[in-house]
Amino acid sequence: KAGVTQTPRYLIKTRGQQVTLSCSPISGHRSVSWYQQTPGQGLQFLFEYFSETQRNKGNFPGRFSGRQFSNSRSEMNVSTLELGDSALYLCASNPDYPGTVGETQYFGPGTRLLVL
Amino acid sequence: AQSVTQLGSHVSVSEGALVLLRCNYSSSVPPYLFWYVQYPNQGLQLLLKYTTGATLVKGINGFEAEFKKSETSFHLTKPSAHMSDAAEYFCAVSDHSGGYQKVTFGTGTKLQVIP
C-alpha cells in the first residue's frame, strides 16, 4: 500500500496570505489527524477528522481549519498567515477499525511552510 | 485528561553506550503507549507500542520499552547506540474513553550519538 502523501512538500507564502495543504491517507484509513511541528513548541495537535466530521480539535485559532472528503482525503487551510505559522505540518492516518484499540498513527513526510 | 512527559529534550550518548529515553504518562484509563522516531525532514514512524499483554515490548532497530504501571512509565532503551540512532523520539499515549482513539504526544527528545 502507498503511504500517507502530503502535497506540496514545501511552500513559501507571505504574511496575510492563505494556504491550503493536502493529505491523502493510506487506502482504507478513515481517520486523519493534523499536527504542527515547530522548534519552539514541538509537536502540537491541530484536529482530527473521521468520516468527513471533525472529531477532535486542538487549541489553535479559528484561522486554522480543515475538512475531509468522502474518500478520506483531507485538507487544512490557514488564513491570514502570520510569521509564527512557519512550521512543518504533519498529517497522520489510521484505520480506526471498530473495536480496535491502540492503533498506530501513520505519518506523511510533512509540508514545510515558510511565511515571510 | 491524559498527558505525557518526556524528561530531557536533548540526550547525548557515545556510540556503543546504553540509550535510555524517559517517558512518564498520565491517563485515567488503561493506556496504550507508543514510541515514535523522526529522522530529519521526515514524518514520524512507529518504533514500538504497548497495548496489552507482555509489559516488555520489543521494537525495530533494537529498541525496547517496558510498561511499568506502578511508576506510570514507559522508558525506551537500547543496549548499544549506533550513529544511525540520532533522531528525535516521541512518546505518546492514547485511550478510547470517548469511544474513539485520542492520541497525546510528548514534547520529544533529540538523541545525539557521539562517535
Side-chain angles (χ1 to χ4, degrees), chain B residues 63-79:
Chain B
F63 284 93
E64 62 182 36
E66 187 171 10
F67 169 56
K68 292 187 177 180
K69 185 178 179 181
S70 60
E71 299 177 9
T72 61
S73 70
F74 191 57
H75 302 330
L76 183 70
T77 60
K78 181 175 180 178

Side-chain angles (χ1 to χ4, degrees), chain B residues 94-111:
Chain B
S94 78
D95 70 47
H96 280 65
S97 58
Y100 61 91
Q101 177 168 267
K102 294 179 188 175
V103 182
T104 301
F105 283 88
T107 51
T109 298
K110 285 188 178 174
L111 176 66

Side-chain angles (χ1 to χ4, degrees), chain B:
Chain B
Q2 58 190 14
S3 65
V4 174
T5 302
Q6 291 185 241
L7 292 176
S9 59
H10 290 81
V11 170
S12 294
V13 300
S14 298
E15 191 175 14
L18 171 72
V19 176
L20 171 60
L21 304 182
R22 299 177 186 275
C23 172
N24 288 89
Y25 70 91
S26 170
S27 176
S28 59
V29 296
Y32 306 103
L33 298 159
F34 308 78
W35 276 99
Y36 287 83
V37 61
Q38 184 182 32
Y39 298 102
N41 298 314
Q42 294 185 26
L44 282 68
Q45 66 182 82
L46 182 72
L47 265 181
L48 50 81
K49 67 179 178 181
Y50 169 79
T51 52
T52 59
T55 56
L56 182 62
V57 181
K58 295 186 184 299
I60 61 172
N61 301 337
F63 284 93
E64 62 182 36
E66 187 171 10
F67 169 56
K68 292 187 177 180
K69 185 178 179 181
S70 60
E71 299 177 9
T72 61
S73 70
F74 191 57
H75 302 330
L76 183 70
T77 60
K78 181 175 180 178
S80 176
H82 295 164
M83 296 299 296
S84 59
D85 295 328
E88 188 161 17
Y89 294 80
F90 293 88
C91 182
V93 61
S94 78
D95 70 47
H96 280 65
S97 58
Y100 61 91
Q101 177 168 267
K102 294 179 188 175
V103 182
T104 301
F105 283 88
T107 51
T109 298
K110 285 188 178 174
L111 176 66
Q112 179 187 22
V113 181
I114 303 167

